[in-house]
Amino acid sequence: MCGIAGYFQSKVKESYDLNRVKDLMSHRGPDGSGIYKSKSKKVGLVHTRLAIQDLSEQGRQPMETSNGSSVIVFNGEIYNFKELRENLVTEGYNFKGYSDTEVLLKLYQAKGHDLLNILDGIFAFAIWDEHKKELFIARDALGVKPLFYSQSDNGFSFASEIAALSPLGVSFKHLNFDALKNYITFLWSPGEGTIAQNVKKLNPGHAIIIKNGEIYKSWQWFALPTLRNKPKPPKHLNFVTEVDRLLKKAVFKQMISDVPVGAFLSGGLDSSALVNFARELNPNLE
C-alpha cells in the first residue's frame, strides 16, 4: 500500500502544501516519499512508498523518464510486470531498476493509454505527460486501490485518501446526504459518491485525462463480462479441479515480492485455502 496525490491547476493561483499532503499519507508508505512539480508549476505529484519490489533508490517515486517527458506516481502491484518488461527489452527499451513502476512508465511510452488493456494487477496511478501537457489517471478493473478526486474552478486534485485532498484546496463544508444514507445502509457508498459533496471516487475500471486543470476525457476501460446465453460446460470438466487450478494460479501470481511474505489467518475457509496455496509456493510462509 502506497499513497499517491497531486493536482493540475488551470492557472497558478496558489502554492499548495505538498509536504502536508505527504505527511497525511505517511502511514500508507513509511519507506520513503517524494514530490514532483512541473516546469509550469501547474502540476504537482506526491508519493509515499511502501517498498515491496526493487527496494533500491531505482524504485523511488515520483519516477521520471530519462528525458523528463513523463512522470508517474503509482499505488499497487502489476502481476505480469516481468513478462511486460521482457517484451519491452525486446523492443529496445532500457531499464535502470527492477520495479513494476518503471515497467508501467516505459509501457506508457510504448503503448500510451492502451497499456490498460494488457495490465494484470491492482493499481491506481497518475502519469504526467510533459509533451502532451496532460495528466492520465486510471484505476484497476475491480477498484481494489482507492482514488478520490475533486474538480473546482482552481483545477483538479486527486489522492488515495479524502483527507489528503484538504491541503490541495478542497473544502469539505457540504455533505453528500445520499452517500451518507448509503453508508448507514450498506456500510459503504456504491458508485462515485463520497461523504463530501465535491469529492468523487474514480470508479473501478475507469480512466480520465486532465488538460489545463479540467477533465478532458473519461472512459470505462474494463467492464465485467455478461453472458446472455450460458454455455454448457464440457462433460469432462471437473469443477473441483478447475477451481483448484484457478485459485492456485491467482495466489501464485500475487506472491512476487522482494520482502518476506506473510499472512493474517482468520481461520475461515477462504483464508485457510489461500494460505494453503501460498505455502505450496513458499513453505516458510509465516
Side-chain angles (χ1 to χ4, degrees), residues 206-269:
H206 280 67
I208 51 178
I209 296 174
I210 316 301
K211 283 182 176 285
N212 200 31
E214 295 182 353
I215 297 177
Y216 171 77
K217 179 184 177 181
S218 63
W219 73 99
Q220 183 175 3
W221 66 268
F222 175 84
L224 287 171
T226 56
L227 298 176
R228 295 183 181 276
N229 300 310
K230 295 182 179 180
K232 292 183 179 180
K235 291 182 179 180
H236 66 271
L237 182 65
N238 184 319
F239 287 100
V240 173
T241 303
E242 183 65 3
V243 169
D244 180 273
R245 183 186 71 82
L246 291 173
L247 277 175
K248 186 180 298 185
K249 179 181 177 182
V251 171
F252 281 15
K253 73 180 181 181
Q254 295 184 46
M255 292 182 65
I256 301 172
S257 174
D258 292 332
V259 293
V261 176
F264 290 103
L265 182 59
S266 66
L269 178 62

Side-chain angles (χ1 to χ4, degrees), residues 47-106:
H47 185 264
T48 58
R49 184 187 187 196
L50 179 65
I52 296 176
Q53 294 174 8
D54 192 351
L55 311 185
S56 73
E57 288 296 304
Q58 303 298 341
R60 285 180 62 87
Q61 299 182 49
M63 184 181 292
E64 299 184 50
T65 52
S66 56
N67 61 0
S69 63
S70 301
V71 188
I72 186 172
V73 285
F74 161 57
N75 170 33
E77 192 171 5
I78 306 301
Y79 304 136
N80 63 335
F81 83 98
K82 290 185 177 181
E83 301 97 298
L84 295 172
R85 189 181 194 275
E86 289 175 3
N87 294 337
L88 288 167
V89 169
T90 302
E91 294 175 16
Y93 288 88
N94 298 315
F95 288 83
K96 295 179 180 178
Y98 296 91
S99 68
D100 50 357
T101 306
E102 189 176 8
V103 171
L104 261 181
L105 192 55
K106 294 291 173 68

Side-chain angles (χ1 to χ4, degrees), residues 15-284:
S15 179
Y16 294 135
D17 188 354
L18 297 185
N19 282 306
R20 177 60 180 154
V21 176
K22 188 175 66 173
D23 291 343
L24 287 169
M25 297 194 301
S26 61
H27 61 283
R28 299 185 66 89
D31 299 325
S33 60
I35 290 174
Y36 166 86
K37 286 187 179 181
S38 66
K39 297 174 183 177
S40 66
K41 307 299 182 185
K42 285 185 176 182
V43 175
L45 301 174
V46 181
H47 185 264
T48 58
R49 184 187 187 196
L50 179 65
I52 296 176
Q53 294 174 8
D54 192 351
L55 311 185
S56 73
E57 288 296 304
Q58 303 298 341
R60 285 180 62 87
Q61 299 182 49
M63 184 181 292
E64 299 184 50
T65 52
S66 56
N67 61 0
S69 63
S70 301
V71 188
I72 186 172
V73 285
F74 161 57
N75 170 33
E77 192 171 5
I78 306 301
Y79 304 136
N80 63 335
F81 83 98
K82 290 185 177 181
E83 301 97 298
L84 295 172
R85 189 181 194 275
E86 289 175 3
N87 294 337
L88 288 167
V89 169
T90 302
E91 294 175 16
Y93 288 88
N94 298 315
F95 288 83
K96 295 179 180 178
Y98 296 91
S99 68
D100 50 357
T101 306
E102 189 176 8
V103 171
L104 261 181
L105 192 55
K106 294 291 173 68
L107 201 59
Y108 174 75
Q109 289 182 291
K111 306 290 185 182
H113 307 144
D114 291 337
L115 67 84
L116 293 169
N117 300 321
I118 55 176
L119 294 180
D120 180 6
I122 52 176
F123 54 82
F125 66 76
I127 299 176
W128 167 243
D129 191 316
E130 182 67 37
H131 290 162
K132 293 182 179 179
K133 305 298 181 186
E134 69 178 33
L135 188 63
F136 170 42
I137 299 176
R139 192 176 179 202
D140 64 76
L142 299 182
V144 176
K145 293 301 180 181
L147 203 289
F148 302 91
Y149 71 90
S150 180
Q151 178 78 65
S152 69
D153 293 337
N154 291 337
F156 179 91
S157 302
F158 72 93
S160 295
E161 298 183 0
I162 293 180
L165 291 170
S166 180
L168 299 176
V170 180
S171 170
F172 308 128
K173 291 181 179 179
H174 303 290
L175 293 178
N176 180 342
F177 288 100
D178 287 334
L180 180 59
K181 285 187 288 185
N182 282 336
Y183 183 80
I184 293 172
T185 306
F186 307 116
L187 297 183
W188 76 296
S189 183
E192 64 180 11
T194 72
I195 193 70
Q197 207 171 82
N198 58 338
V199 177
K200 293 182 178 180
K201 289 178 282 186
L202 183 61
N203 278 329
H206 280 67
I208 51 178
I209 296 174
I210 316 301
K211 283 182 176 285
N212 200 31
E214 295 182 353
I215 297 177
Y216 171 77
K217 179 184 177 181
S218 63
W219 73 99
Q220 183 175 3
W221 66 268
F222 175 84
L224 287 171
T226 56
L227 298 176
R228 295 183 181 276
N229 300 310
K230 295 182 179 180
K232 292 183 179 180
K235 291 182 179 180
H236 66 271
L237 182 65
N238 184 319
F239 287 100
V240 173
T241 303
E242 183 65 3
V243 169
D244 180 273
R245 183 186 71 82
L246 291 173
L247 277 175
K248 186 180 298 185
K249 179 181 177 182
V251 171
F252 281 15
K253 73 180 181 181
Q254 295 184 46
M255 292 182 65
I256 301 172
S257 174
D258 292 332
V259 293
V261 176
F264 290 103
L265 182 59
S266 66
L269 178 62
D270 50 355
S271 62
S272 299
L274 295 179
V275 170
N276 179 68
F277 288 127
R279 290 198 65 176
E280 286 186 29
L281 190 65
N282 179 9
N284 298 318

